[in-house]
């Protein structure tokens, strides 16, 4: 059937219901179909590129050949609707709801406190649900693999995994089997005494059992369809594309012959992102998913032919089945491929991506192609000219994304041969994150020996990530062939390899030195593994003779080899050890251990009805887990609603010479283009005397600055309209990107701040030692799971507007919209139901975006929705400030720091935003926990041509403290003493005063520190780390303990206020509204607890619907860890007012019920509605006098982390983390522990993983989860213990609690300093002692280069300024 024929009808079952679509558009993905057409909004948009897992669904298909049903998890954002003909799709709504019954997976993730903002929860639920459909008793490894492709920015993952592992097999496949003493499923101890000692966060005995018989059945109609005799060619026609799905190989060949440029789409993991993110348009797409020859598996005596259409998961399963069935010597290549497949992409990607697609995409950093090429695999290809076999070798890959195959040729299958006796195959990869990450460098290596010989007969080395294609190290191979596999041969091979695989400094992807060192490291790892294998192959006697020969060459002694210990220093002496285990570099540990979360029981006198202090589940957790929770973009479309998309600048510093929107207005569906001229009111937002334009119309000052907005009937049409807007620029000279450039040109935002205690200049003259150093910290993207979202509805009269928006500050948005539209604030009502994560990033830019959207709604007099795509969100909204910190420190030989002078330079970006306030907070925290008698600090917000940075959890404090702690570390290294001793010597003790003259008691800080040392068994583990490091050359461990003192509340006094409105209805139910926005921090849950306690009623009677400016006006942002402190007091105030009003009624009827008292009050005309108000502390900071009380109190904590580092690759694992925090009396331990863990893991990301990369022209490269890596399940400490400090009180906050949202973010730096400790151990092996530079984040690249191994030293350093680098060093 030709593509020109009339379109087919698509048939798919969704949640058991048949859906027939007669006009399926090839450009429609399942995600938009579910959300917009079927109104199934539980499946979320998180990134649009298959990188976050928020849109995970289960796809089920019937396989007629085996008469089985397969279930697999997939990303709905990459699944074309056209591909789902004949499939059954299950979404989160289909497995359970509060209206029917919730599924055990939904229940357990919710009740284990694994849902905070809840935006990622449906995806997590569906990944776990699919695993259970395939394996009702999973192992921990299964769970980690299933969740590897799902990102969460709130929880730190531990509670999600805890909920999921309740499905584990009890005996053999949980922590006990992995070496833990106690089983994660046992609980602590079932005796009453033990329960009194240690309250639990949840009770697994309450959970519903998993009953596989209750799941949705596969639709019988689809079975009949699949078994039908004659399959019909399917053709689906869209606006711009046609999709053809042939049924036979012959038809496929003909289609491809007549349309050689049409891509073949199997999993859409390659073509899909190109269409979505690069704007590639394919008029015809051929989808051969129903051509059975592409899925056939054929075993031969020499290997196995695998159909090119088989998914990577199917290939992995096939190889895992074949390995135990074949002699071990034959499965070398199979095992190497399995090793790569386990880490290639996520489970969702592997389930749909095909083997043929992976090969033919020919990515330079392909995981499989180097292994397939090294293993001498070949392809069977077909075209009109017939079949042929093509070897996968260095000639196969021609250039980036291109192979030698002709455009009309189709890969039918790939041949994977058995390995021969004497053949050893290995695969290595390195990626910026351990799982679900594109590789930095990959390799496939094969060597062949004749029996009983160590002479290399044949060798094959292929690398990915070292050029535009997969490359063969042919010269290196030639240097190895015919030579013995020993140290001397390999030492020469390293030099050849280094010359053979070179990269220019401007190579795409950057990391040039690191990538070159990885080529050597991988060859060395291969060398060691081959040595080990050779020993097994030849037996001990032969091995002994070889070793003695090698030893004579290397050491010229006759020492008995059996008495030798490991001396693998550098590239020499690596085969001189008699123990094979020590020759090998063992992989980093992966088994998780049981973790503890300890908190205090409530008092025995407390009423059972009083929920305060108890680990209450997040009040929306169940509806978040079922997909019923409504976020901004889940709201149904209104009639005539339009969608807004933004046009942004492509230049960093230029004049706009022309803005031509005429072409855009010709695009079908485009209704309007909003420019600055359309704004009826204020066209700018002003802060600190600086103005930020809503839409630029004269000049642009960064790439990503908003210029105009296209309004259309659909998202797709708006996006096309954006592409059609034509802008001409005239570049301006002197663009500034880095802090150094800003300092050179004195480009700052005022005010700059300085603070000094004592006399630093004089004190530096009288110390034993002076040291100068510094550290650079990169920026950080908020990566809230829900991108910026808003919906503006004109009410229709008197210029009234309803704004539904995902913001932390509804009143700020209300003010901005009112000023922009030139209407009074009383005409604008802002509604916030819940936010899918914010972390400081949904205040200032959100107000600007909402204002632009409101202009479109006002001008067109209809509802307008704006939901940023992930890439646009990351480009436009800015993030955490990159900071350059410098210090000069004077100290005594006993470790006492007498004087310290700090200079902080923050890269503020192109507008002022809140940068001066960030600078102030940096200076106010630069003492951290240390009493330094002479202390001085300068802070400057540098004005640059990068997108403006803004508030982010911690608001400058993490950057401030990182510089301080790095200084402490340097002092320790100069003195040759452990860093914890230097910390202890300088800590505040007794009644203390900060550098801004604020008096406080550090007693609980010292308690946290001591408790952390005790709980972590710090001193014993320091000794164990030293012992490990003496026994291992290529792996090192590091340990670090870090304290924190964090000021709570706003230094700007007017922000420390809150209000609430509480209604009691006649049936006794209570409605609470307050000024705080629910963004996952559990503020609504805590307010429910406060109302329950104050009104003496069960929490079930209290409901919180939303935060809105028409119920509680003039609210302050939910920020600064002050939300519960302020709003809790306001709710308490309102409830106490109401309770007092009911006092006369209670006295008349003391034994009456709550409902009877409320009813009686109504009839006695007593008001059952009250406002509450909290006038917070009068805080201030006088920068002229350099004194003040900017904070209400401090939250204290300490954290110990231990890591294991692979010095050859920079990969690391956090083995254990122990956190002790003083949060007073917790209002809700489950919520607070969740905040502690979530902040820690986000901090771990900032200090070790997350890297923003900008091009030399100021363009952000890292605009999505495929380029920007936030922590995933694989990054959580293997043992993660949290202890709330017992018996503490805080008179300054509600119920003696403390703010906790931000403080523990900085404790993630304990992992950074543990990595630095491990790197120091590696350096000391090479004789390098003393302070060294390690900037943040401590990525594997930086950690590896800091270790200064013999391999990194071989890499020639690129000359500064010789060539333009790929990325700026921000």
């Amino acid at each position: 059937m030709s593509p020109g024929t009339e379109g087919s009808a698509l048939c798919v079952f969704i949640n058991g219901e048949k859906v027939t679509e007669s006009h399926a558009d090839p450009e429609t993905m399942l995600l938009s179909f579910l959300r917009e057409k079927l109104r199934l909004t539980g499946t979320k948009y998180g990134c649009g590129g298959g990188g976050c897992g928020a849109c995970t669904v289960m796809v089920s298909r019937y396989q007629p050949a085996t008469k089985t049903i397969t279930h697999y998890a997939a990303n709905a954002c990459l699944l074309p609707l056209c591909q789902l003909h004949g499939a059954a799709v299950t979404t989160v709504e289909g497995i359970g709801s509060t209206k029917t019954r919730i599924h055990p997976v939904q229940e357990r993730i919710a009740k284990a406190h694994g849902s905070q903002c809840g935006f990622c929860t449906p995806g997590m639920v569906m990944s776990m649900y699919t695993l259970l459909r395939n394996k009702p008793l999973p192992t921990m490894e299964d769970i980690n693999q299933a969740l590897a492709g799902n990102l969460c920015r709130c929880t730190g993952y531990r509670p999600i995994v805890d909920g999921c592992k309740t499905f584990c097999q009890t005996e053999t496949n949980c922590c006990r089997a992995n070496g833990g003493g106690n089983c994660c499923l046992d609980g602590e101890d079932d005796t009453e005494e033990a329960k009194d000692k240690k309250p639990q966060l949840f009770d697994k005995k309450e959970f519903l059992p998993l009953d596989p018989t209750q799941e949705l059945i596969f639709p019988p109609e689809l079975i009949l369809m699949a078994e039908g005799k004659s399959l019909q060619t399917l053709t689906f026609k869209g606006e711009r594309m046609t999709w053809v799905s042939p049924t036979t190989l012959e038809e496929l060949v003909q289609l491809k012959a007549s349309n050689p440029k049409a891509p073949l789409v199997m999993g859409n993991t390659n073509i899909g992102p190109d269409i979505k993110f690069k704007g590639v348009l394919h008029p015809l797409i051929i989808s051969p998913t129903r051509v059975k020859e592409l899925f056939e598996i054929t075993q031969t005596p020499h290997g196995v032919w695998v159909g090119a259409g088989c998914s990577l998961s199917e290939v992995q399963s096939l190889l895992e089945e074949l390995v135990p069935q074949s002699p071990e010597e034959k499965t070398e290549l199979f095992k190497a491929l399995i090793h790569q497949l386990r880490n290639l992409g996520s489970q969702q990607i592997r389930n749909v991506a095909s083997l043929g697609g992976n090969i033919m995409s020919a990515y330079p950093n392909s995981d499989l192609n180097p292994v397939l090429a090294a293993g001498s695999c070949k392809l069977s290809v077909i075209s009109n000219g017939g079949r042929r076999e093509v070897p996968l070798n260095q000639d196969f890959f021609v250039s980036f994304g291109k192979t030698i195959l002709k455009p009309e040729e189709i890969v039918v299958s790939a041949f994977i041969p058995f390995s021969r006796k004497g053949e050893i195959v290995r695969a290595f990869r390195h990626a910026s994150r351990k799982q679900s990450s594109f590789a930095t460098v990959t390799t496939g290596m094969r060597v062949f020996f004749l029996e009983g010989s160590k002479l290399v007969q044949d060798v094959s080395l292929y690398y990915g990530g070292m050029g535009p294609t997969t490359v063969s190290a042919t010269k290196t191979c030639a240097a190895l062939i015919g030579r013995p596999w020993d140290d001397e041969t390999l030492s020469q091979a390293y030099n050849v390899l280094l010359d053979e695989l070179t990269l220019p400094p401007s190579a795409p992807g950057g990391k040039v030195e690191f990538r070159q060192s990885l080529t050597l490291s991988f060859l060395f790892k291969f060398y060691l593994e081959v040595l080990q294998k050779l020993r097994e192959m030849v037996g001990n006697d032969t091995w002994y003779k070889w070793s003695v020969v090698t030893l004579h060459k290397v050491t010229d002694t006759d020492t008995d080899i059996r008495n030798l210990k490991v001396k693998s220093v550098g590239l020499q002496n690596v085969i001189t050890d008699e123990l094979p285990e020590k020759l090998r570099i063992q992989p980093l540990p992966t088994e998780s251990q049981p973790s503890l979360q300890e908190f205090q029981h409530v008092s025995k006198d407390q009423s059972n009805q009083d929920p305060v202090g108890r680990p209450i589940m997040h009040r929306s957790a169940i509806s978040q887990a079922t997909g019923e929770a409504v976020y901004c973009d889940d709201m149904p479309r209104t009639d005539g609603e339009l969608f807004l998309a933004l046009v942004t600048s492509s230049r960093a510093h230029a004049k706009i010479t022309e803005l031509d929107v005429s072409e855009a207005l010709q695009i079908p569906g485009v209704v309007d283009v909003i420019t600055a001229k359309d704004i009826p009111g204020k066209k700018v937002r002003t802060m600190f005397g600086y103005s930020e334009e809503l839409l630029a119309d004269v000049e642009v000052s960064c790439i990503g600055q908003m210029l105009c907005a296209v309004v259309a009937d659909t998202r797709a049409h708006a996006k096309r309209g954006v592409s059609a807007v034509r802008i001409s620029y005239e570049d301006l000279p002197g663009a500034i990107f880095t802090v150094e450039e800003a300092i050179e040109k004195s480009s700052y935002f005022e005010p700059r701040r300085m603070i000094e205690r004592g006399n630093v200049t004089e004190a530096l003259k009288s110390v034993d030692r002076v040291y100068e150093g510094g550290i650079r910290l990169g920026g950080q993207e908020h990566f809230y799971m829900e991108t910026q979202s808003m919906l503006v509805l004109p009410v229709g009269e008197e210029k009234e507007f309803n704004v539904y928006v995902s913001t932390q500050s509804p009143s700020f948005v209300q003010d901005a919209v009112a000023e922009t539209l030139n209407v009074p604030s009383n005409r604008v009502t802002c509604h916030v139901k819940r936010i899918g994560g914010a972390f400081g990033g949904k205040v200032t830019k959100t107000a600007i975006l909402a204002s632009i959207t409101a202009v479109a709604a006002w001008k067109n007099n209809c509802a307008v929705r704006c939901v940023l795509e992930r890439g646009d969100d990351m480009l436009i909204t800015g993030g955490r400030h990159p900071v350059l910190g410098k210090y000069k420190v004077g100290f005594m030989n006993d470790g006492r720091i007498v004087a310290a002078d700090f200079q902080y330079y923050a890269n503020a970006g192109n507008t002022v935003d809140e940068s001066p306030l960030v600078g102030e907070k940096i200076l106010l925290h630069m003492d951290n926990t240390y009493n330094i008698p002479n202390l001085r600090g300068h802070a400057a917000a540098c004005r640059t041509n990068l997108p403006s940075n803004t508030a982010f959890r911690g608001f400058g404090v993490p950057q401030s403290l990182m510089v301080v702690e790095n200084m402490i570390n340097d002092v320790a290294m100069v003195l040759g003493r452990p860093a914890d001793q230097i910390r202890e010597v300088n800590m505040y003790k007794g009644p203390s005063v900060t550098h801004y003259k604020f008096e406080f008691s550090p007693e609980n800080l010292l308690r946290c520190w001591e408790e952390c040392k005790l709980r972590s068994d710090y001193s014993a583990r320091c000794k164990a780390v030293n012992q490990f490091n003496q026994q291992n050359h290529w792996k090192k461990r590091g340990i670090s303990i870090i304290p924190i003192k964090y000021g709570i509340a706003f230094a700007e006094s007017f922000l420390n206020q809150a209000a609430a409105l509480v209604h009691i209805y006649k049936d006794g139910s209570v409605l609470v509204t307050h000024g705080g926005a629910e963004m996952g921090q559990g503020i609504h849950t805590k307010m429910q607890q406060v109302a329950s306690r104050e009104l003496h009623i069960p929490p079930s009677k209290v409901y919180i619907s939303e935060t809105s400016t028409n119920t509680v006006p003039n609210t302050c942002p939910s920020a600064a860890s002050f939300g519960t402190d302020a709003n809790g007091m306001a709710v308490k105030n309102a409830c106490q007012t109401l309770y007092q009003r009911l006092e006369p009624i209670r006295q008349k009827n003391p034994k009456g019920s709550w409902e009877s008292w409320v009813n009686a009050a109504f009839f006695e005309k007593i008001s059952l509605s009250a406002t509450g108000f909290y006038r917070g502390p009068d805080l201030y900071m006088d920068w002229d006098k350099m004194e003040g009380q900017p904070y209400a109190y401090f939250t204290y904590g300490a954290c110990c982390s231990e890591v294991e580092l692979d010095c050859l690759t920079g990969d690391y694992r956090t083995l254990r983390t122990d956190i002790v925090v003083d949060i007073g009396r917790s209002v809700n331990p489950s919520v607070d522990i969740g905040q502690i863990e979530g902040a820690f893991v986000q901090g771990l990301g900032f200090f070790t993983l997350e890297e923003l990369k900008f091009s030399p022209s100021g363009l952000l490269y890292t605009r999505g989860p495929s380029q920007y890596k936030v922590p995933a399940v694989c990054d959580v400490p293997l043992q993660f213990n949290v202890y709330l400090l017992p018996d503490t009180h805080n008179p300054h906050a509600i119920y003696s609690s403390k703010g906790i949202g931000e403080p523990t973010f900085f404790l993630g730096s304990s992992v950074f300093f543990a990595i630095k400790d491990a790197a120091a151990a590696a350096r000391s092996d090479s004789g390098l002692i003393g302070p060294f530079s390690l900037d943040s984040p401590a990525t594997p690249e930086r950690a590896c280069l800091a270790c200064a191994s013999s391999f990194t030293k071989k890499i020639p350093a690129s000359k500064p300024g010789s060539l333009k680098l790929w990325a700026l060093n921000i």
Side-chain angles (χ1 to χ4, degrees), residues 1011-1024:
E1011 184 81 359
C1012 187
K1013 286 170 71 177
L1014 179 72
R1015 294 288 199 156
S1016 63
D1017 199 11
Y1018 183 70
S1019 53
R1021 282 172 55 213
C1022 285
K1023 290 174 188 164

Side-chain angles (χ1 to χ4, degrees), residues 822-953:
N822 197 23
V823 299
S825 289
N826 63 3
R827 308 296 166 84
V828 178
T829 305
C830 254
H831 303 266
V832 180
K833 182 81 173 169
R834 59 173 55 81
I835 309 171
F839 314 113
K842 289 183 175 174
V843 182
T844 52
K845 269 293 189 288
T846 311
I848 289 173
L849 289 162
S851 299
I852 296 166
T853 309
V855 171
W858 164 78
K859 187 181 174 192
N860 292 281
N861 198 31
C862 65
V864 177
R865 187 182 302 247
C866 174
V867 179
L868 292 191
E869 288 196 345
R870 177 63 64 185
D872 289 337
D873 192 302
M874 293 181 75
L875 180 70
I876 292 168
T877 61
R880 186 183 296 282
H881 292 70
V883 166
L884 174 64
K886 298 178 178 180
Y887 44 81
K888 186 174 186 180
V889 56
F891 52 99
M892 310 308 283
N893 288 329
D894 63 1
R896 279 180 301 119
I897 295 172
V898 176
D901 192 359
F902 291 101
Q903 289 179 314
Y904 293 93
Y905 299 96
N907 194 326
N910 70 323
T911 67
V912 70
D913 204 276
E914 300 186 74
S915 299
L917 298 180
V918 169
E920 290 180 3
K921 199 156 184 175
I922 281 174
L923 292 183
L924 292 175
H925 280 79
M926 68 180 183
D927 59 333
N928 192 14
T929 58
Y930 309 112
N931 188 5
I932 300 171
N934 302 280
L935 183 62
R936 182 168 62 210
H938 291 81
C942 298
R943 187 175 195 163
T944 64
N945 295 110
L946 293 178
S948 180
N949 289 308
T950 187
F952 197 142
R953 194 179 207 163

Side-chain angles (χ1 to χ4, degrees), residues 1061-1073 1091 1094-1097 1101-1103 1134-1142 1146 1154-1162 1166-1170:
L1061 175 64
V1062 179
H1063 299 316
I1064 304 174
Y1065 293 97
K1066 288 181 287 182
D1067 62 355
S1069 63
V1070 176
L1071 180 67
V1072 173
T1073 316
E1094 296 303 330
L1095 296 174
H1096 301 83
I1097 56 175
K1101 288 196 181 300
V1102 181
Y1103 183 67
C1135 290
Q1136 284 179 341
T1137 301
L1138 288 166
Y1139 197 69
Q1140 282 159 14
R1141 284 182 195 165
L1142 293 173
R1146 280 197 305 277
W1154 165 257
E1155 288 79 3
S1156 67
W1157 296 337
V1158 168
N1159 210 33
F1162 174 73
I1166 294 173
S1167 170
L1168 293 172
S1169 176

Side-chain angles (χ1 to χ4, degrees), residues 568-869:
S568 50
V569 180
L571 302 181
Q572 300 301 317
N573 306 0
V574 279
I575 21 178
T576 60
D577 181 67
E578 95 269 28
L579 288 174
E581 290 78 17
K582 289 187 180 177
L583 272 180
R584 300 178 67 180
I585 301 171
Q586 298 293 339
L588 296 171
T590 56
E591 293 85 12
S592 58
Q593 303 296 325
S595 298
L596 296 171
Q597 300 82 42
E598 285 194 12
F599 57 96
Q600 258 185 303
H601 264 308
V602 296
S603 154
K604 285 178 181 169
D605 308 328
Q606 185 169 319
S607 155
N608 287 334
Q609 184 176 280
D610 181 353
V612 172
R614 302 184 195 275
I616 307 291
M617 177 179 69
H618 191 293
R619 64 176 304 280
S620 301
I622 295 287
S623 57
Q624 288 166 188
T626 60
E628 292 165 280
V630 177
Y631 296 81
C632 186
D633 192 34
D634 297 340
M635 296 182 65
R637 279 180 72 106
T638 57
D639 194 33
E641 180 179 304
L642 300 175
F643 192 86
L644 180 142
L646 290 153
V647 177
T648 57
S649 164
S650 59
R651 303 291 175 87
H653 189 37
K655 275 184 184 169
I656 302 167
T657 55
E658 187 183 16
L659 182 65
D660 181 4
V661 302
S662 56
E663 259 186 70
L665 290 167
Q666 302 303 311
I667 300 282
V670 171
V671 174
D672 196 6
V673 178
I674 306 296
T675 66
K677 296 181 181 66
D678 294 312
I679 299 171
K682 275 183 72 176
K683 299 180 193 298
V684 297
R685 300 291 300 152
T686 306
M687 290 183 84
F688 300 101
Y690 296 91
S691 292
E692 178 174 2
E693 295 171 293
L694 301 184
L695 293 168
D697 60 349
V698 176
E699 191 177 304
V700 294
S701 52
C702 77
I703 294 178
Q705 189 169 355
M706 293 176 280
L707 307 179
C708 61
V710 175
V711 186
D713 58 349
T714 66
R715 289 167 208 255
H717 289 153
K719 197 174 170 184
R720 281 176 219 161
V722 166
S723 303
V725 173
R726 298 282 167 256
I727 305 155
S728 302
Y729 302 93
E730 181 189 311
D731 282 328
L732 294 169
I736 298 170
F737 298 120
T738 66
V739 159
E740 285 86 350
E741 290 167 345
I743 295 168
E744 187 187 327
K745 296 177 181 177
S746 293
S747 178
Y748 302 110
F749 287 113
E750 300 296 342
R752 286 178 274 169
R753 296 297 192 196
M754 192 278 275
I755 190 168
E756 182 170 17
R757 166 166 77 179
N759 189 325
V760 172
T761 309
E762 285 303 310
L764 284 170
K765 295 174 185 173
S766 60
V767 294
D768 292 341
R769 304 194 192 204
V770 175
Y771 180 80
E772 289 188 56
I775 185 172
R776 181 189 291 275
L777 292 97
Q780 186 180 25
E781 162 60 29
H782 298 94
F783 211 92
Y784 26 69
M785 293 302 294
E786 175 200 34
T787 59
Q788 299 277 353
S789 306
M790 55 222 58
L791 171 62
V792 181
L793 286 94
V795 173
E797 59 174 292
E798 300 195 41
K799 294 186 178 175
E800 196 181 330
F801 293 85
N802 277 325
V803 181
Y804 297 89
V805 59
S806 180
T807 181
Q808 295 167 251
S809 187
S811 289
F812 190 73
V813 171
Q814 177 193 28
D815 294 346
V817 169
E819 288 178 6
T820 305
L821 297 181
N822 197 23
V823 299
S825 289
N826 63 3
R827 308 296 166 84
V828 178
T829 305
C830 254
H831 303 266
V832 180
K833 182 81 173 169
R834 59 173 55 81
I835 309 171
F839 314 113
K842 289 183 175 174
V843 182
T844 52
K845 269 293 189 288
T846 311
I848 289 173
L849 289 162
S851 299
I852 296 166
T853 309
V855 171
W858 164 78
K859 187 181 174 192
N860 292 281
N861 198 31
C862 65
V864 177
R865 187 182 302 247
C866 174
V867 179
L868 292 191
E869 288 196 345

Side-chain angles (χ1 to χ4, degrees), residues 277-289:
F277 302 127
K278 297 179 185 173
V280 177
L281 179 65
H282 298 285
L284 176 68
I285 281 179
I286 303 168
S287 176
T289 52

